[in-house]
Amino acid sequence: MLRIIENRAKFFIISAALIGAGIVAMIMNASAGNGAFNLDVDFTGGISIHYDAARTDYSNDDIVDIIRSTTSLDAAQVQRIIGTTEVSIRMRELDAVERNALLDALADFFPNGELLDMDVISPTVSGEMQRTAITAFLLACALMLVYITFRFKDIRTGGTTILGLVHDGLIVLAAYAILRIPLNTAFIAAILTVIGYSINATIVIFDRLRENKALMKKSSNAELMNTSVTQTLKRSIYTSLSTLFTVVCLYILGVSSVRDFTLPIIVGIISGTYSSTCLVGPIWYELSKDKKDKKAPQA
């Protein structure tokens, strides 16, 4: 049987170290003048270019390489318009020199190409995007708290689950900061996907815990949780691996915009599996100690 509760201090330290690494990365990035996160145009405002390439034998990565070679930007949103030779490019604001260099490079790469439109994206819209991201995350957590508390008839179970989800959200944010993944509208989808996936294994463990409480009436909370995690471990690992294999294939075979979306999900799946099996149990134990648990051993 796994000794999850006895090793809880080690798991808390690992999580704190990972989140701390993200905070350090944010501080270092901000100190270097690059911003805590690699904010994309959706969050900072910028420009939108509508370009007719007049040919189809090119990829999004070709345009991304042109942008990187002519500007100071690490990433941009490039989307080909299906059924046409046109492409939409969204990026942070450029100065006059960089903008002219980019247009000249596009003209060289697409000799028969044509600039159709160039618009400025308002920072006001970007502020709304930031509020939307925060609101979506908080609303999802609040609804899950109500649902899980109602389902298990225990506010401690609901609170424990939400703390696990917040942990996974912070780990994904740390990945964005450390790996400098462009932070754009896909972030909202990625973070909600992660917390929605992460909660599945947690609910399975608490379902098993509820069953074991009826079967192991004389057992302490530590023994109940250790048993429940052990009994559901294979299911959690197999489910996570099957999902992870699919997302990794998308990351390897996808274009840059797909990779920017799937990379944080890969991090989130790993983090969600870890938090469900190694972190949620210890948190629940700390919130639910009874007399039989007062002398629970530490590893």
Side-chain angles (χ1 to χ4, degrees), residues 4-5 8 11-12 15 148 152 156-168 198-207 209 221 225-226 229 271-288:
I4 297 295
I5 302 303
R8 61 191 182 279
F11 298 132
F12 291 151
S15 295
I148 294 170
F152 293 98
R156 293 169 298 185
T157 300
T160 297
T161 304
I162 297 307
L163 288 175
L165 297 182
V166 171
H167 165 272
D168 296 335
S198 176
I199 200 173
N200 288 332
T202 301
I203 288 180
V204 170
I205 291 173
F206 280 126
D207 267 333
L209 178 67
N221 283 341
M225 182 54 72
N226 284 338
V229 173
S271 173
T273 304
Y274 163 77
S275 66
S276 296
T277 56
C278 301
L279 200 63
V280 169
I283 293 175
W284 175 86
Y285 171 79
E286 291 294 340
L287 296 177
S288 308

Side-chain angles (χ1 to χ4, degrees), residues 193-245:
T193 299
V194 167
I195 65 175
Y197 179 85
S198 176
I199 200 173
N200 288 332
T202 301
I203 288 180
V204 170
I205 291 173
F206 280 126
D207 267 333
R208 184 57 58 90
L209 178 67
R210 181 169 55 184
E211 295 172 0
N212 286 335
K213 282 183 177 179
L215 299 174
M216 304 167 59
K217 296 181 179 180
K218 295 183 179 181
S219 298
S220 65
N221 283 341
E223 293 170 332
L224 286 169
M225 182 54 72
N226 284 338
T227 301
S228 299
V229 173
T230 301
Q231 291 172 343
T232 58
L233 182 62
K234 285 186 178 180
R235 179 193 184 280
S236 298
I237 292 177
Y238 291 159
T239 301
S240 297
L241 285 177
S242 62
T243 306
L244 190 61
F245 290 153

